Coordinates of all heavy atoms in Angstrom, one line a residue:
L1550 N -9.7 16.4 11.8 CA -11.0 15.9 11.7 C -11.9 17.0 11.1 O -11.9 18.1 11.4 CB -11.6 15.6 13.1 CG -10.7 14.7 14.0 CD1 -11.4 14.7 15.4 CD2 -10.6 13.4 13.4
G1551 N -12.7 16.5 10.1 CA -13.6 17.4 9.4 C -15.0 16.8 9.2 O -15.9 17.4 8.5
G1552 N -15.2 15.6 9.8 CA -16.5 14.9 9.6 C -16.3 13.5 10.2 O -15.3 13.1 10.8
L1553 N -17.3 12.7 10.0 CA -17.4 11.4 10.7 C -16.8 10.2 9.9 O -16.5 9.2 10.5 CB -18.8 11.0 11.1 CG -19.5 12.0 12.0 CD1 -21.0 11.6 12.2 CD2 -18.8 12.1 13.3
T1554 N -16.5 10.4 8.6 CA -16.1 9.2 7.8 C -14.5 9.3 7.6 O -14.0 10.2 7.1 CB -16.7 9.3 6.4 OG1 -18.2 9.3 6.6 CG2 -16.4 8.1 5.6
A1555 N -13.9 8.2 8.1 CA -12.4 8.1 8.0 C -12.0 8.1 6.5 O -12.6 7.5 5.6 CB -12.0 6.8 8.6
G1556 N -10.9 8.8 6.2 CA -10.4 8.9 4.9 C -10.9 10.0 4.0 O -10.2 10.6 3.3
S1557 N -12.2 10.2 4.1 CA -12.8 11.2 3.3 C -13.2 12.5 4.1 O -13.3 13.6 3.5 CB -14.0 10.7 2.5 OG -15.1 10.3 3.4
Q1558 N -13.5 12.3 5.4 CA -13.9 13.4 6.2 C -12.9 13.6 7.4 O -13.0 14.7 8.0 CB -15.3 13.3 6.7 CG -16.3 13.4 5.6 CD -17.7 13.2 6.1 OE1 -18.0 12.4 7.0 NE2 -18.6 14.0 5.5
H1559 N -12.2 12.6 7.8 CA -11.2 12.8 8.8 C -10.0 11.9 8.5 O -10.1 10.8 7.8 CB -11.7 12.6 10.2 CG -12.1 11.2 10.6 ND1 -11.1 10.3 11.0 CD2 -13.2 10.5 10.7 CE1 -11.7 9.1 11.3 NE2 -13.0 9.2 11.1
D1560 N -8.8 12.3 9.0 CA -7.6 11.5 8.8 C -7.6 10.2 9.5 O -8.2 10.1 10.6 CB -6.4 12.4 9.2 CG -6.2 13.6 8.4 OD1 -6.6 13.7 7.2 OD2 -5.6 14.6 8.9
Q1561 N -6.8 9.3 8.9 CA -6.6 8.0 9.5 C -5.3 7.4 9.1 O -4.9 7.7 7.9 CB -7.7 7.0 9.2 CG -7.6 5.7 9.9 CD -8.8 4.8 9.6 OE1 -8.9 4.3 8.5 NE2 -9.7 4.6 10.5
I1562 N -4.6 6.7 10.0 CA -3.4 6.0 9.6 C -3.7 4.5 9.8 O -4.1 4.1 10.8 CB -2.2 6.4 10.5 CG1 -1.9 7.9 10.3 CG2 -1.0 5.5 10.2 CD1 -0.8 8.4 11.1
A1563 N -3.6 3.8 8.7 CA -3.9 2.3 8.7 C -2.5 1.6 8.5 O -1.8 1.7 7.5 CB -4.8 2.0 7.5
I1564 N -2.2 0.7 9.5 CA -0.9 0.1 9.6 C -1.2 -1.4 9.4 O -2.0 -2.0 10.1 CB -0.2 0.3 10.9 CG1 -0.1 1.9 11.1 CG2 1.1 -0.4 11.0 CD1 -0.6 2.4 12.4
T1565 N -0.4 -2.1 8.6 CA -0.6 -3.5 8.3 C 0.4 -4.3 9.2 O 0.8 -5.4 8.8 CB -0.4 -3.9 6.8 OG1 1.0 -3.6 6.5 CG2 -1.4 -3.2 6.0
G1566 N 0.8 -3.8 10.3 CA 1.8 -4.5 11.2 C 1.6 -4.0 12.6 O 0.6 -3.3 12.9
P1567 N 2.6 -4.2 13.4 CA 2.6 -3.7 14.8 C 2.7 -2.2 14.9 O 3.2 -1.5 14.0 CB 3.8 -4.4 15.4 CG 4.3 -5.4 14.5 CD 3.8 -5.0 13.1
L1568 N 2.2 -1.7 16.0 CA 2.1 -0.2 16.3 C 2.7 0.0 17.6 O 2.2 -0.5 18.6 CB 0.7 0.3 16.2 CG 0.4 1.7 16.6 CD1 1.2 2.7 15.7 CD2 -1.1 2.0 16.5
T1569 N 3.8 0.8 17.7 CA 4.4 1.1 19.0 C 4.3 2.6 19.2 O 4.9 3.4 18.4 CB 5.9 0.6 19.1 OG1 5.9 -0.8 18.8 CG2 6.5 0.9 20.4
L1570 N 3.6 3.1 20.2 CA 3.3 4.5 20.3 C 4.1 5.1 21.4 O 4.4 4.5 22.5 CB 1.8 4.7 20.7 CG 0.9 4.3 19.6 CD1 -0.6 4.4 20.1 CD2 1.0 5.1 18.3
G1571 N 4.5 6.4 21.2 CA 5.2 7.2 22.1 C 5.1 8.6 21.5 O 4.5 8.8 20.5
G1572 N 5.7 9.6 22.1 CA 5.8 10.9 21.5 C 4.5 11.7 21.7 O 3.8 11.6 22.7
I1573 N 4.2 12.5 20.6 CA 3.1 13.5 20.7 C 2.0 13.2 19.6 O 2.4 12.9 18.5 CB 3.6 14.9 20.5 CG1 4.7 15.2 21.5 CG2 2.5 15.9 20.5 CD1 5.5 16.5 21.2
L1574 N 0.8 13.3 20.0 CA -0.4 13.2 19.1 C -1.1 14.5 19.1 O -1.5 15.0 20.2 CB -1.3 12.1 19.5 CG -2.7 12.0 18.7 CD1 -2.4 11.7 17.2 CD2 -3.6 11.0 19.3
N1575 N -1.2 15.2 17.9 CA -2.0 16.4 17.8 C -3.2 16.1 16.9 O -3.1 15.5 15.8 CB -1.2 17.5 17.1 CG 0.0 17.9 17.9 OD1 0.0 18.0 19.1 ND2 1.1 18.1 17.2
V1576 N -4.4 16.4 17.4 CA -5.6 16.3 16.6 C -6.4 17.6 16.6 O -6.7 18.1 17.7 CB -6.5 15.1 17.2 CG1 -7.8 15.0 16.3 CG2 -5.8 13.8 17.2
G1577 N -6.6 18.1 15.4 CA -7.4 19.4 15.3 C -8.5 19.2 14.3 O -8.8 18.1 13.9
F1578 N -9.2 20.3 14.0 CA -10.3 20.3 13.1 C -10.1 21.2 11.9 O -9.2 22.0 11.9 CB -11.6 20.9 13.8 CG -12.0 20.1 15.1 CD1 -11.8 20.6 16.3 CD2 -12.5 18.8 14.9 CE1 -12.1 19.9 17.5 CE2 -12.8 18.1 16.1 CZ -12.6 18.6 17.3
F1579 N -10.8 20.9 10.8 CA -10.7 21.8 9.7 C -12.1 22.1 9.2 O -13.1 21.4 9.5 CB -9.9 21.2 8.5 CG -10.4 20.0 7.9 CD1 -11.2 20.1 6.7 CD2 -10.2 18.7 8.3 CE1 -11.8 19.0 6.1 CE2 -10.7 17.6 7.7 CZ -11.5 17.7 6.6
G1580 N -12.3 23.1 8.4 CA -13.6 23.6 7.9 C -14.4 24.1 9.1 O -13.8 24.5 10.1
A1581 N -15.6 24.0 9.0 CA -16.5 24.5 10.1 C -17.0 23.3 11.0 O -17.9 23.5 11.8 CB -17.7 25.2 9.5
F1582 N -16.3 22.2 10.9 CA -16.8 21.0 11.6 C -16.6 21.1 13.1 O -15.5 21.5 13.6 CB -16.0 19.8 11.1 CG -16.4 18.5 11.8 CD1 -17.7 17.9 11.7 CD2 -15.5 17.9 12.7 CE1 -18.0 16.8 12.3 CE2 -15.9 16.7 13.4 CZ -17.2 16.2 13.2
V1583 N -17.6 20.9 13.9 CA -17.6 20.8 15.3 C -18.3 19.5 15.7 O -19.5 19.4 15.5 CB -18.2 22.0 16.0 CG1 -18.2 21.9 17.5 CG2 -17.5 23.3 15.5
P1584 N -17.6 18.6 16.3 CA -18.2 17.3 16.7 C -19.1 17.5 17.9 O -19.0 18.5 18.7 CB -17.1 16.4 17.0 CG -16.0 17.3 17.4 CD -16.1 18.5 16.6
V1585 N -20.1 16.6 18.0 CA -21.0 16.7 19.2 C -20.8 15.5 20.1 O -20.2 14.5 19.7 CB -22.5 16.8 18.6 CG1 -22.7 18.1 17.9 CG2 -22.8 15.6 17.8
S1586 N -21.5 15.5 21.2 CA -21.4 14.4 22.2 C -21.7 13.1 21.5 O -22.5 12.9 20.7 CB -22.4 14.7 23.3 OG -22.3 13.7 24.3
T1587 N -20.8 12.1 21.9 CA -20.8 10.7 21.5 C -20.2 10.5 20.1 O -20.1 9.4 19.7 CB -22.2 10.0 21.5 OG1 -23.1 10.5 20.5 CG2 -22.9 10.2 22.9
N1588 N -19.8 11.6 19.4 CA -19.1 11.3 18.1 C -17.7 10.7 18.4 O -17.0 11.1 19.4 CB -18.8 12.7 17.4 CG -20.0 13.2 16.6 OD1 -20.0 14.3 16.2 ND2 -21.1 12.5 16.5
S1589 N -17.3 9.7 17.6 CA -16.0 9.1 17.8 C -15.3 8.9 16.5 O -16.0 8.8 15.4 CB -16.1 7.8 18.6 OG -16.8 6.8 17.8
F1590 N -14.0 8.9 16.5 CA -13.2 8.9 15.3 C -12.1 7.9 15.4 O -11.2 8.1 16.3 CB -12.6 10.3 15.0 CG -13.7 11.4 15.1 CD1 -14.0 12.0 16.3 CD2 -14.3 11.8 13.9 CE1 -15.0 13.0 16.4 CE2 -15.3 12.7 14.0 CZ -15.6 13.4 15.2
T1591 N -12.1 6.9 14.6 CA -11.0 5.9 14.6 C -9.8 6.5 13.8 O -10.0 6.6 12.6 CB -11.4 4.5 14.1 OG1 -12.5 4.1 14.9 CG2 -10.3 3.5 14.1
I1592 N -8.8 6.9 14.4 CA -7.7 7.6 13.7 C -6.5 6.7 13.4 O -5.6 7.1 12.6 CB -7.3 8.9 14.5 CG1 -6.8 8.6 15.9 CG2 -8.4 9.9 14.5 CD1 -6.3 9.8 16.7
F1593 N -6.4 5.5 14.1 CA -5.4 4.5 13.8 C -6.0 3.2 13.7 O -6.9 2.9 14.6 CB -4.3 4.4 14.9 CG -3.3 5.6 14.9 CD1 -3.6 6.7 15.6 CD2 -2.1 5.4 14.3 CE1 -2.7 7.8 15.7 CE2 -1.2 6.4 14.4 CZ -1.4 7.6 15.0
T1594 N -5.6 2.4 12.8 CA -5.9 0.9 12.8 C -4.6 0.2 12.6 O -3.7 0.7 11.9 CB -6.9 0.5 11.7 OG1 -6.4 0.8 10.4 CG2 -8.3 1.3 11.8
N1595 N -4.5 -1.0 13.1 CA -3.3 -1.8 12.9 C -3.7 -3.3 13.0 O -4.7 -3.7 13.7 CB -2.2 -1.5 14.0 CG -2.7 -1.7 15.4 OD1 -3.5 -0.9 15.8 ND2 -2.3 -2.7 16.1
T1596 N -2.9 -4.1 12.2 CA -3.2 -5.5 12.2 C -2.3 -6.3 13.2 O -2.6 -7.4 13.5 CB -3.1 -6.1 10.8 OG1 -1.8 -5.9 10.4 CG2 -4.1 -5.5 9.9
G1597 N -1.2 -5.7 13.6 CA -0.3 -6.3 14.6 C -0.6 -5.8 16.0 O -1.6 -5.1 16.2
V1598 N 0.2 -6.2 16.9 CA 0.0 -5.8 18.3 C 0.3 -4.3 18.5 O 1.3 -3.8 17.9 CB 1.0 -6.7 19.2 CG1 0.9 -6.2 20.6 CG2 0.6 -8.1 19.0
R1599 N -0.5 -3.6 19.3 CA -0.2 -2.3 19.7 C 0.4 -2.3 21.1 O -0.1 -2.9 22.0 CB -1.5 -1.4 19.7 CG -1.1 0.1 20.0 CD -2.1 0.8 20.8 NE -2.9 0.2 21.8 CZ -2.5 0.1 23.1 NH1 -1.4 0.7 23.6 NH2 -3.3 -0.5 24.0
T1600 N 1.5 -1.5 21.2 CA 2.1 -1.4 22.5 C 2.3 0.1 22.8 O 2.5 0.9 21.9 CB 3.5 -2.1 22.6 OG1 4.3 -1.6 21.6 CG2 3.3 -3.6 22.5
G1601 N 2.3 0.5 24.1 CA 2.6 1.9 24.5 C 1.4 2.8 24.2 O 0.3 2.4 23.8
G1602 N 1.6 4.1 24.5 CA 0.7 5.1 24.3 C 1.4 6.4 24.1 O 2.6 6.5 24.3
F1603 N 0.7 7.4 23.6 CA 1.4 8.7 23.4 C 1.7 9.3 24.8 O 0.9 9.3 25.7 CB 0.5 9.7 22.6 CG 0.4 9.3 21.2 CD1 -0.7 8.6 20.7 CD2 1.4 9.6 20.3 CE1 -0.8 8.3 19.3 CE2 1.3 9.3 18.9 CZ 0.2 8.6 18.5
A1604 N 2.9 9.9 24.8 CA 3.4 10.6 26.1 C 2.6 11.9 26.2 O 2.2 12.3 27.4 CB 4.8 10.9 26.0
T1605 N 2.2 12.6 25.1 CA 1.5 13.8 25.1 C 0.4 13.8 24.1 O 0.6 13.4 23.0 CB 2.4 15.0 24.8 OG1 3.5 15.1 25.8 CG2 1.6 16.3 24.9
T1606 N -0.9 14.1 24.5 CA -2.0 14.2 23.5 C -2.5 15.6 23.5 O -2.9 16.1 24.6 CB -3.1 13.2 23.8 OG1 -3.5 13.4 25.1 CG2 -2.6 11.8 23.6
N1607 N -2.5 16.3 22.4 CA -3.1 17.6 22.2 C -4.4 17.4 21.4 O -4.3 17.5 20.1 CB -2.1 18.6 21.6 CG -0.8 18.7 22.4 OD1 -0.9 19.0 23.6 ND2 0.3 18.5 21.8
L1608 N -5.5 17.2 22.0 CA -6.8 17.0 21.3 C -7.6 18.3 21.4 O -7.9 18.7 22.5 CB -7.5 15.8 22.0 CG -6.7 14.5 22.1 CD1 -7.6 13.4 22.7 CD2 -6.2 14.1 20.7
A1609 N -8.0 18.8 20.3 CA -8.8 20.0 20.3 C -10.1 19.8 21.0 O -10.8 18.8 20.8 CB -9.0 20.5 18.8
A1610 N -10.6 20.8 21.7 CA -11.9 20.8 22.3 C -13.0 20.7 21.3 O -12.8 21.4 20.2 CB -12.1 22.0 23.3
P1611 N -14.0 20.0 21.4 CA -14.5 19.3 22.6 C -14.1 17.9 22.8 O -14.8 17.1 23.5 CB -16.1 19.5 22.4 CG -16.3 19.3 21.0 CD -15.1 20.0 20.3
L1612 N -13.1 17.4 22.1 CA -12.7 16.0 22.2 C -12.3 15.8 23.7 O -11.8 16.7 24.4 CB -11.5 15.7 21.3 CG -11.7 15.8 19.8 CD1 -10.4 15.6 19.0 CD2 -12.7 14.7 19.4
G1613 N -12.5 14.5 24.1 CA -12.1 14.1 25.5 C -10.6 14.3 25.6 O -9.8 14.3 24.6
P1614 N -10.1 14.3 26.8 CA -8.7 14.5 27.1 C -7.7 13.4 26.7 O -6.6 13.6 26.4 CB -8.6 14.7 28.6 CG -9.8 14.0 29.1 CD -10.8 14.1 28.1
N1615 N -8.3 12.2 26.5 CA -7.4 11.0 26.2 C -8.0 10.2 25.1 O -9.2 9.9 25.1 CB -7.2 10.2 27.5 CG -6.5 10.9 28.6 OD1 -5.5 11.5 28.4 ND2 -7.2 11.0 29.7
P1616 N -7.2 9.6 24.3 CA -7.7 8.7 23.3 C -8.0 7.3 23.9 O -7.5 7.0 25.0 CB -6.5 8.5 22.3 CG -5.3 9.0 23.0 CD -5.7 9.9 24.1
L1617 N -8.8 6.5 23.2 CA -9.1 5.2 23.7 C -8.2 4.2 22.9 O -8.3 4.1 21.7 CB -10.6 4.8 23.4 CG -11.0 3.4 23.7 CD1 -10.8 3.1 25.2 CD2 -12.4 3.2 23.2
Y1618 N -7.3 3.6 23.6 CA -6.4 2.6 23.0 C -7.0 1.2 23.0 O -7.3 0.6 24.0 CB -5.1 2.6 23.9 CG -4.3 3.9 23.9 CD1 -4.4 4.8 24.9 CD2 -3.5 4.2 22.8 CE1 -3.7 6.0 24.9 CE2 -2.8 5.4 22.8 CZ -2.9 6.3 23.9 OH -2.2 7.5 23.9
G1619 N -7.2 0.7 21.8 CA -7.6 -0.7 21.6 C -6.4 -1.5 21.1 O -5.4 -1.0 20.8
A1620 N -6.6 -2.8 21.0 CA -5.6 -3.7 20.6 C -5.2 -3.4 19.1 O -4.1 -3.5 18.7 CB -6.0 -5.2 20.7
N1621 N -6.2 -3.0 18.3 CA -6.0 -2.8 16.9 C -6.6 -1.5 16.4 O -6.8 -1.3 15.2 CB -6.6 -4.0 16.1 CG -6.0 -5.3 16.4 OD1 -6.6 -6.1 17.0 ND2 -4.7 -5.5 16.0
S1622 N -6.8 -0.5 17.3 CA -7.2 0.8 16.9 C -7.0 1.8 18.0 O -6.7 1.4 19.1 CB -8.7 0.7 16.6 OG -9.5 0.4 17.8
L1623 N -7.1 3.0 17.6 CA -7.0 4.2 18.5 C -8.1 5.1 18.1 O -8.2 5.5 16.9 CB -5.6 4.8 18.4 CG -5.4 5.9 19.5 CD1 -3.9 5.9 20.0 CD2 -5.7 7.3 18.9
T1624 N -8.9 5.5 19.1 CA -10.1 6.3 18.8 C -10.1 7.6 19.7 O -9.7 7.5 20.9 CB -11.4 5.5 19.1 OG1 -11.3 4.3 18.3 CG2 -12.6 6.3 18.8
V1625 N -10.5 8.7 19.1 CA -10.7 9.9 19.9 C -12.2 10.1 19.9 O -12.9 9.8 18.9 CB -9.9 11.1 19.5 CG1 -8.4 10.9 19.7 CG2 -10.2 11.4 18.0

Side-chain angles (χ1 to χ4, degrees):
L1550 308 175
L1553 299 176
T1554 306
S1557 63
Q1558 294 180 321
H1559 73 80
D1560 293 336
Q1561 185 177 71
I1562 298 177
I1564 303 125
T1565 63
L1568 172 61
T1569 303
L1570 295 174
I1573 301 168
L1574 172 65
N1575 296 321
V1576 178
F1578 300 111
F1579 70 91
F1582 181 68
V1583 178
V1585 297
S1586 182
T1587 72
N1588 283 168
S1589 66
F1590 309 88
T1591 301
I1592 56 174
F1593 284 86
T1594 62
N1595 57 288
T1596 59
V1598 174
R1599 184 214 34 96
T1600 56
F1603 287 101
T1605 303
T1606 55
N1607 300 310
L1608 307 179
L1612 293 173
N1615 298 305
L1617 173 63
Y1618 295 98
N1621 299 108
S1622 65
L1623 186 141
T1624 303
V1625 294

